Amino acid sequence: SAADEATRQLDRIGFRDLRGWIDASDWVAEGRTVRSVTRCTMGDLTERILDGDDITVIDVRQDDEWAGGHLPGAVHAPAPDLAGIIGRLDRESPIAVHCATGYRAALGVSILLQHGISDVLHVTDGVDAWSALGHPLVTPA
């Protein structure tokens, strides 16, 4: 089922204390808050950076993925640890969240929204797309 697959995926990125799930249509039918964010690609992010936009880029991938190469200037915060760095983020500038494929980035965006950060970009592709655009990756020293 979709719930079983979601549970597997969340377990893989470090969320192990799952208490249940709710269908999104049920959420909306109950009149609960729904928010939307801007989605963008690495190409869109590149354009904004080159245009001089002051954007914080958060990489929510796991430690080994980060060590394999990351965007210059990015902040590393795997999704389960993201809430712990929120106090250090600049709430006056947009925050772009990315992973390898966009799934963990969506989770990261949700965590930021829950903590009152509203100017968030969900980057829907990952580091491979950054590299494909000819941009360098940084590896930790």
Side-chain angles (χ1 to χ4, degrees):
S1 76
D4 293 333
E5 177 60 21
T7 300
R8 278 190 293 281
Q9 294 296 329
L10 288 167
D11 182 65
R12 288 180 183 156
I13 62 171
F15 289 93
R16 295 186 173 82
D17 184 19
L18 303 177
R19 313 237 169 152
W21 63 278
I22 184 170
D23 185 286
S25 61
D26 292 340
W27 184 271
V28 173
E30 292 175 10
R32 295 178 182 250
T33 303
V34 177
R35 310 236 347 239
S36 62
V37 296
T38 301
R39 295 175 67 182
C40 70
T41 64
M42 280 292 183
D44 299 327
L45 180 61
T46 298
E47 286 180 26
R48 291 192 63 170
I49 291 169
L50 292 175
D51 285 346
D53 288 1
D54 185 22
I55 296 178
T56 299
V57 177
I58 298 179
D59 184 332
V60 295
R61 296 176 304 148
Q62 297 294 327
D63 293 341
D64 60 327
E65 295 172 293
W66 169 264
H70 56 271
L71 278 64
V75 175
H76 183 222
D81 304 328
L82 186 54
I85 70 156
I86 287 177
R88 299 190 326 240
L89 297 176
D90 177 4
R91 292 173 179 255
E92 302 301 316
S93 299
I95 298 174
V97 183
H98 83 85
C99 62
T101 61
Y103 293 111
R104 290 173 286 181
L107 180 60
V109 165
S110 178
I111 291 167
L112 293 175
L113 291 172
Q114 288 172 357
H115 285 84
I117 297 176
S118 59
D119 194 357
V120 183
L121 302 169
H122 173 201
V123 182
T124 57
D125 51 7
V127 174
D128 290 345
W130 176 265
S131 295
L133 292 166
H135 303 305
L137 293 175
V138 176
T139 54

